[in-house]
Amino acid sequence: MIEALPAPLTLFFSALVSSTLLPGGSEALLAWLLNQNQYSAWTLWLAATSGNVLGSLLTWGMGYWIARRYPLKTLDKPGHQRARDWLQKYGPASLLLAWLPLVGDPLCLVAGWLRFNFLLSLVMITLGKALRYALIVGLFS
């Protein structure tokens, strides 16, 4: 018989999948788990944040890998060029918005493609996502 994963580990994987190019619902799971009062808010916040950051870093890495195969000149549509110009203007600080639905995943992908500094990218992604999950913890605990 297969035993269920502990809730924080389930939340970690939900957050990881939610931060890649796949859809997910880690925020709803976090809110539900907070209302169950089985685990500390700190533990759940840490699980969600770390999973979500890891997923964004995987997406950043995919962008970095893709850049080797498809140079930046393939961004030839006006919308693509505007996005690239915006990202180049604000640099890794733009990754503070990596938590945004629909926008965050492509931001991380293009940041990797543009070869943003990894450590600065990690810091900015972590700050944005940690604040988002802290807000959810504050609202539901």
PDB file of all heavy atoms in Angstrom, residues 107-119:
ATOM      1  N   LEU A 107       8.828  35.189 -17.958  1.00  0.00           N
ATOM      2  CA  LEU A 107       9.894  36.084 -17.501  1.00  0.00           C
ATOM      3  C   LEU A 107      11.140  35.288 -17.139  1.00  0.00           C
ATOM      4  O   LEU A 107      12.258  35.644 -17.521  1.00  0.00           O
ATOM      5  CB  LEU A 107       9.452  36.866 -16.261  1.00  0.00           C
ATOM      6  CG  LEU A 107       8.725  38.178 -16.445  1.00  0.00           C
ATOM      7  CD1 LEU A 107       8.338  38.747 -15.089  1.00  0.00           C
ATOM      8  CD2 LEU A 107       9.532  39.166 -17.221  1.00  0.00           C
ATOM      9  N   CYS A 108      10.951  34.214 -16.392  1.00  0.00           N
ATOM     10  CA  CYS A 108      12.089  33.383 -15.986  1.00  0.00           C
ATOM     11  C   CYS A 108      12.740  32.714 -17.183  1.00  0.00           C
ATOM     12  O   CYS A 108      13.972  32.626 -17.265  1.00  0.00           O
ATOM     13  CB  CYS A 108      11.636  32.324 -14.971  1.00  0.00           C
ATOM     14  SG  CYS A 108      11.133  33.042 -13.402  1.00  0.00           S
ATOM     15  N   LEU A 109      11.937  32.253 -18.132  1.00  0.00           N
ATOM     16  CA  LEU A 109      12.467  31.610 -19.327  1.00  0.00           C
ATOM     17  C   LEU A 109      13.324  32.586 -20.132  1.00  0.00           C
ATOM     18  O   LEU A 109      14.456  32.277 -20.511  1.00  0.00           O
ATOM     19  CB  LEU A 109      11.321  31.063 -20.183  1.00  0.00           C
ATOM     20  CG  LEU A 109      11.751  30.278 -21.409  1.00  0.00           C
ATOM     21  CD1 LEU A 109      12.196  28.884 -21.000  1.00  0.00           C
ATOM     22  CD2 LEU A 109      10.606  30.182 -22.407  1.00  0.00           C
ATOM     23  N   VAL A 110      12.796  33.772 -20.364  1.00  0.00           N
ATOM     24  CA  VAL A 110      13.533  34.761 -21.158  1.00  0.00           C
ATOM     25  C   VAL A 110      14.746  35.285 -20.387  1.00  0.00           C
ATOM     26  O   VAL A 110      15.787  35.560 -20.986  1.00  0.00           O
ATOM     27  CB  VAL A 110      12.601  35.903 -21.621  1.00  0.00           C
ATOM     28  CG1 VAL A 110      13.372  36.987 -22.350  1.00  0.00           C
ATOM     29  CG2 VAL A 110      11.499  35.351 -22.533  1.00  0.00           C
ATOM     30  N   ALA A 111      14.634  35.376 -19.060  1.00  0.00           N
ATOM     31  CA  ALA A 111      15.792  35.804 -18.259  1.00  0.00           C
ATOM     32  C   ALA A 111      16.942  34.818 -18.422  1.00  0.00           C
ATOM     33  O   ALA A 111      18.099  35.225 -18.535  1.00  0.00           O
ATOM     34  CB  ALA A 111      15.398  35.933 -16.792  1.00  0.00           C
ATOM     35  N   GLY A 112      16.631  33.550 -18.449  1.00  0.00           N
ATOM     36  CA  GLY A 112      17.672  32.555 -18.707  1.00  0.00           C
ATOM     37  C   GLY A 112      18.204  32.675 -20.114  1.00  0.00           C
ATOM     38  O   GLY A 112      19.411  32.555 -20.349  1.00  0.00           O
ATOM     39  N   TRP A 113      17.306  32.916 -21.056  1.00  0.00           N
ATOM     40  CA  TRP A 113      17.699  33.072 -22.456  1.00  0.00           C
ATOM     41  C   TRP A 113      18.644  34.264 -22.615  1.00  0.00           C
ATOM     42  O   TRP A 113      19.622  34.219 -23.354  1.00  0.00           O
ATOM     43  CB  TRP A 113      16.449  33.253 -23.305  1.00  0.00           C
ATOM     44  CG  TRP A 113      16.650  33.140 -24.780  1.00  0.00           C
ATOM     45  CD1 TRP A 113      17.821  33.077 -25.465  1.00  0.00           C
ATOM     46  CD2 TRP A 113      15.620  33.068 -25.757  1.00  0.00           C
ATOM     47  NE1 TRP A 113      17.589  32.982 -26.818  1.00  0.00           N
ATOM     48  CE2 TRP A 113      16.243  32.978 -27.025  1.00  0.00           C
ATOM     49  CE3 TRP A 113      14.238  33.098 -25.711  1.00  0.00           C
ATOM     50  CZ2 TRP A 113      15.521  32.909 -28.210  1.00  0.00           C
ATOM     51  CZ3 TRP A 113      13.521  33.021 -26.893  1.00  0.00           C
ATOM     52  CH2 TRP A 113      14.163  32.920 -28.127  1.00  0.00           C
ATOM     53  N   LEU A 114      18.338  35.333 -21.870  1.00  0.00           N
ATOM     54  CA  LEU A 114      19.179  36.531 -21.920  1.00  0.00           C
ATOM     55  C   LEU A 114      20.439  36.383 -21.055  1.00  0.00           C
ATOM     56  O   LEU A 114      21.254  37.289 -20.997  1.00  0.00           O
ATOM     57  CB  LEU A 114      18.381  37.760 -21.464  1.00  0.00           C
ATOM     58  CG  LEU A 114      17.242  38.184 -22.380  1.00  0.00           C
ATOM     59  CD1 LEU A 114      16.421  39.285 -21.731  1.00  0.00           C
ATOM     60  CD2 LEU A 114      17.758  38.629 -23.740  1.00  0.00           C
ATOM     61  N   ARG A 115      20.542  35.259 -20.371  1.00  0.00           N
ATOM     62  CA  ARG A 115      21.693  34.936 -19.529  1.00  0.00           C
ATOM     63  C   ARG A 115      21.895  35.936 -18.389  1.00  0.00           C
ATOM     64  O   ARG A 115      23.008  36.381 -18.106  1.00  0.00           O
ATOM     65  CB  ARG A 115      22.953  34.790 -20.361  1.00  0.00           C
ATOM     66  CG  ARG A 115      22.816  33.664 -21.365  1.00  0.00           C
ATOM     67  CD  ARG A 115      24.101  33.468 -22.136  1.00  0.00           C
ATOM     68  NE  ARG A 115      23.923  32.478 -23.177  1.00  0.00           N
ATOM     69  CZ  ARG A 115      24.151  31.176 -23.009  1.00  0.00           C
ATOM     70  NH1 ARG A 115      24.540  30.708 -21.870  1.00  0.00           N
ATOM     71  NH2 ARG A 115      23.980  30.334 -24.009  1.00  0.00           N
ATOM     72  N   PHE A 116      20.761  36.283 -17.736  1.00  0.00           N
ATOM     73  CA  PHE A 116      20.862  37.116 -16.542  1.00  0.00           C
ATOM     74  C   PHE A 116      21.746  36.411 -15.522  1.00  0.00           C
ATOM     75  O   PHE A 116      21.772  35.182 -15.458  1.00  0.00           O
ATOM     76  CB  PHE A 116      19.490  37.326 -15.917  1.00  0.00           C
ATOM     77  CG  PHE A 116      18.620  38.359 -16.596  1.00  0.00           C
ATOM     78  CD1 PHE A 116      19.000  38.974 -17.774  1.00  0.00           C
ATOM     79  CD2 PHE A 116      17.410  38.701 -16.042  1.00  0.00           C
ATOM     80  CE1 PHE A 116      18.193  39.912 -18.377  1.00  0.00           C
ATOM     81  CE2 PHE A 116      16.594  39.636 -16.645  1.00  0.00           C
ATOM     82  CZ  PHE A 116      16.984  40.250 -17.807  1.00  0.00           C
ATOM     83  N   ASN A 117      22.425  37.176 -14.700  1.00  0.00           N
ATOM     84  CA  ASN A 117      23.260  36.640 -13.642  1.00  0.00           C
ATOM     85  C   ASN A 117      22.428  35.694 -12.769  1.00  0.00           C
ATOM     86  O   ASN A 117      21.367  36.069 -12.268  1.00  0.00           O
ATOM     87  CB  ASN A 117      23.818  37.782 -12.795  1.00  0.00           C
ATOM     88  CG  ASN A 117      24.656  37.289 -11.653  1.00  0.00           C
ATOM     89  OD1 ASN A 117      24.128  36.864 -10.631  1.00  0.00           O
ATOM     90  ND2 ASN A 117      25.961  37.351 -11.834  1.00  0.00           N
ATOM     91  N   PHE A 118      22.929  34.471 -12.587  1.00  0.00           N
ATOM     92  CA  PHE A 118      22.166  33.444 -11.872  1.00  0.00           C
ATOM     93  C   PHE A 118      21.881  33.840 -10.428  1.00  0.00           C
ATOM     94  O   PHE A 118      20.751  33.715  -9.957  1.00  0.00           O
ATOM     95  CB  PHE A 118      22.894  32.098 -11.924  1.00  0.00           C
ATOM     96  CG  PHE A 118      22.170  31.033 -11.157  1.00  0.00           C
ATOM     97  CD1 PHE A 118      21.057  30.417 -11.699  1.00  0.00           C
ATOM     98  CD2 PHE A 118      22.588  30.669  -9.887  1.00  0.00           C
ATOM     99  CE1 PHE A 118      20.361  29.444 -10.991  1.00  0.00           C
ATOM    100  CE2 PHE A 118      21.906  29.699  -9.170  1.00  0.00           C
ATOM    101  CZ  PHE A 118      20.789  29.089  -9.729  1.00  0.00           C
ATOM    102  N   LEU A 119      22.894  34.299  -9.697  1.00  0.00           N
ATOM    103  CA  LEU A 119      22.690  34.630  -8.279  1.00  0.00           C
ATOM    104  C   LEU A 119      21.722  35.793  -8.093  1.00  0.00           C
ATOM    105  O   LEU A 119      20.864  35.754  -7.204  1.00  0.00           O
ATOM    106  CB  LEU A 119      24.019  34.910  -7.594  1.00  0.00           C
ATOM    107  CG  LEU A 119      24.901  33.680  -7.375  1.00  0.00           C
ATOM    108  CD1 LEU A 119      26.226  34.076  -6.745  1.00  0.00           C
ATOM    109  CD2 LEU A 119      24.186  32.644  -6.524  1.00  0.00           C
TER     110      LEU A 119
END
